[in-house]
Amino acid sequence: MKDRQLLMIPGPIEFAPEVLRAMGMPTTSHVAPNFVEVFGTALERLREVFLAPEAQPFVVAGSGTLAMDMAAANLIEPGDAALVVNTGVFGDRFGEILQRYGAEVTHVRAPVIGDTPSLDEVRTALETPSTSSGQGYKMMTITQVDTSTAVATDVKALAALGREHDVLVVVDGVCSVAGEELRQEAWGVDLALTASQKAIGVPPGLALVVAGPRAMEAFRSRKSPVVSYYADWTKWLPIMEAYEARQPSYFGTPPVNLIWALNVSLEQILEEGMEARFERHRRISKAVKAAIAALGMAQVPVSAKVAANTLTAPYFPDGVERSVLGHIKEAGVILAGGLHPEIRSRYFRIGHMGVVNTSDILAVIGAIERGLAEIGYGVDAGTGLAAAQEALAA
Ligand code: PMP
């Protein structure tokens, strides 16, 4: 296929052929025995992928924003205080959603774009709530990878802090689950959420929420009803429980083909194994970042310690602009522009998650080199490729 292009943006990503085949199958009834079995199996597999054996998964038609909405709608009551560990645009979004449900929201922000707030800053924020009533926080949200900055947070340490201060720990894992290391139960994460189109490896359309026992308890002990109709776990919990018990059930029609596809992708993820998968994402990311550095580009994350493994966000070199992305596309690879409003025109983003392999990233680096050469940016052909190969061989 001469016009084939690689979609290397931070979601949607390239999907496995087996997953896409499931999308194209004749659609079954949502209560057909074979679909009930597939939905039940997908729910069980989600627990394994999130490493959350005691948690309750929810699979609902929607995007990652619905998953965030579900967390807020079901866990927040008017007047609750919430702390957002903010590393970019998606922290802002979580704050807005929480506010919509009546939370009093405080952001603890990174000192500069590309960094994370320190653990001490988060601890201080937890200990000195800046709420009108002085009440403590009920919830803390953490974006594991903010897709607008490619910054990764230390979820393990932050969740431990949250637990110490008895807050519900909620992780936006839209750009991380099934790519970055996340051990929901072992790390004390009360709720983790994602969407299908990223490292989970299924076309856009599924909101995935995995709620641990403390989150479910907080939901059950609400004093006020959930104000969102579609996001209400009161509606969805019996449905998820029924499918897992292999009973047909109905509240809103499930996106049948997406759930068939999800089950295929989860099976592939578990076949690879979570540890191997985390390691593959680390290795691929190191190679991309080595190539970007060799090509003379800085990155938005201020250090390797806070850089995500699921995407890379290089600043354009001096004299190079966004138009280079068109040349890179001509060379066969689709990359994404910037997203953070304060630096949007100064950087671009390369997604490398899900089924991504070493040939994909060599194609990406090759296309970037060609794009740069076409606009006259002086770099020796093969410089980035050599750096990537060296990192892969290490
Ligand atoms: N959180 C993060 C970290 C994301 O990257 C995204 C999507 N880019 C979202 C939330 C929102 O997900 P969606 O676009 O699927 O609504």
Side-chain angles (χ1 to χ4, degrees):
M1 237 207 305
K2 75 176 177 31
D3 294 331
R4 194 169 64 89
Q5 286 173 323
L6 269 184
L7 183 61
M8 300 298 286
I9 66 174
I13 62 166
E14 290 281 327
F15 302 115
E18 299 77 12
V19 169
L20 294 175
R21 259 202 299 284
M23 292 297 296
M25 275 177 26
T27 300
T28 58
S29 159
H30 60 289
V31 292
N34 58 349
F35 177 70
V36 172
E37 178 60 34
V38 159
F39 202 159
T41 306
L43 291 166
E44 290 161 359
R45 287 178 172 159
L46 274 177
R47 276 197 199 91
E48 291 181 58
V49 168
F50 281 68
L51 299 167
E54 302 298 322
Q56 175 61 53
F58 294 88
V59 175
V60 175
S63 76
T65 307
L66 176 72
M68 299 164 84
D69 200 68
M70 237 188 193
N74 288 282
L75 298 181
I76 289 294
E77 294 190 65
D80 284 341
L83 184 72
V84 173
V85 179
N86 191 315
T87 48
V89 161
F90 292 100
D92 293 344
R93 178 173 299 191
F94 225 149
E96 265 186 71
I97 295 172
L98 292 162
Q99 257 165 357
R100 193 63 69 88
Y101 291 103
E104 202 174 325
V105 176
T106 305
H107 291 264
V108 51
R109 291 177 194 275
V112 293
I113 295 171
D115 206 352
T116 62
S118 70
L119 286 178
D120 278 344
E121 285 166 317
V122 176
R123 181 183 287 110
T124 304
L126 285 167
E127 284 169 5
T128 50
S130 58
T131 51
S132 52
S133 61
Q135 67 166 326
Y137 292 108
K138 176 179 186 179
M139 180 195 287
M140 163 184 173
T141 71
I142 306 162
T143 315
Q144 186 167 21
V145 170
D146 199 297
T147 322
S148 70
T149 53
V151 165
T153 49
D154 183 349
V155 171
K156 184 181 182 186
L158 288 166
L161 262 186
R163 278 300 183 94
E164 240 176 71
H165 293 84
D166 201 30
V167 301
L168 287 170
V169 176
V170 170
V171 171
D172 171 351
V174 173
C175 199
S176 63
V177 167
E180 298 281 351
E181 180 177 358
L182 175 66
R183 303 176 190 279
Q184 182 170 346
E185 185 172 298
W187 290 357
V189 172
D190 295 304
L191 182 148
L193 61 91
T194 190
S196 50
Q197 75 272 18
K198 304 218 189 199
I200 286 276
V202 178
L206 292 175
L208 306 170
V209 176
V210 177
R214 291 196 336 147
M216 292 312 294
E217 182 48 38
F219 160 69
R220 289 197 179 94
S221 55
R222 288 178 67 91
K223 294 182 191 67
S224 55
V226 173
V227 297
S228 162
Y229 186 77
Y230 186 65
D232 189 353
W233 287 346
T234 319
K235 304 288 187 192
W236 289 112
L237 181 59
I239 308 300
M240 299 303 137
E241 288 174 339
Y243 274 107
E244 213 173 331
R246 308 303 194 261
Q247 301 293 325
S249 190
Y250 168 72
F251 168 54
T253 308
V256 171
N257 286 60
L258 278 168
I259 290 170
W260 279 90
L262 174 69
N263 195 40
V264 171
S265 193
L266 293 175
E267 182 177 24
Q268 292 182 346
I269 291 170
L270 293 169
E271 256 168 32
E272 178 176 19
M274 298 315 294
E275 306 307 323
R277 197 166 173 94
F278 300 149
E279 188 49 36
R280 175 168 56 82
H281 281 80
R282 282 188 206 108
R283 185 162 167 266
I284 294 259
S285 175
K286 265 201 192 112
V288 173
K289 288 168 173 64
I292 290 301
L295 291 170
M297 287 182 259
Q299 291 169 44
V300 177
V302 296
S303 68
K305 194 168 158 269
V306 299
N309 293 308
T310 47
L311 82 159
T312 299
Y315 282 109
F316 293 117
D318 283 344
V320 175
E321 305 174 349
R322 202 193 141 94
S323 61
V324 72
L325 297 181
H327 294 275
I328 295 171
K329 181 161 180 271
E330 285 296 303
V333 175
I334 300 169
L335 301 179
L339 181 62
H340 195 294
E342 287 175 48
I343 52 171
R344 197 193 303 268
S345 62
R346 293 173 45 208
Y347 75 112
F348 65 105
R349 296 173 303 150
I350 309 163
H352 35 79
M353 60 189 120
V355 290
V356 61
N357 63 21
T358 50
S359 335
D360 294 332
I361 58 155
L362 294 174
V364 169
I365 303 305
I368 293 174
E369 288 188 357
R370 282 183 54 195
L372 288 171
E374 274 173 29
I375 60 162
Y377 174 74
V379 60
D380 292 331
T383 306
L385 286 168
Q389 297 278 28
E390 196 180 315
L392 288 170

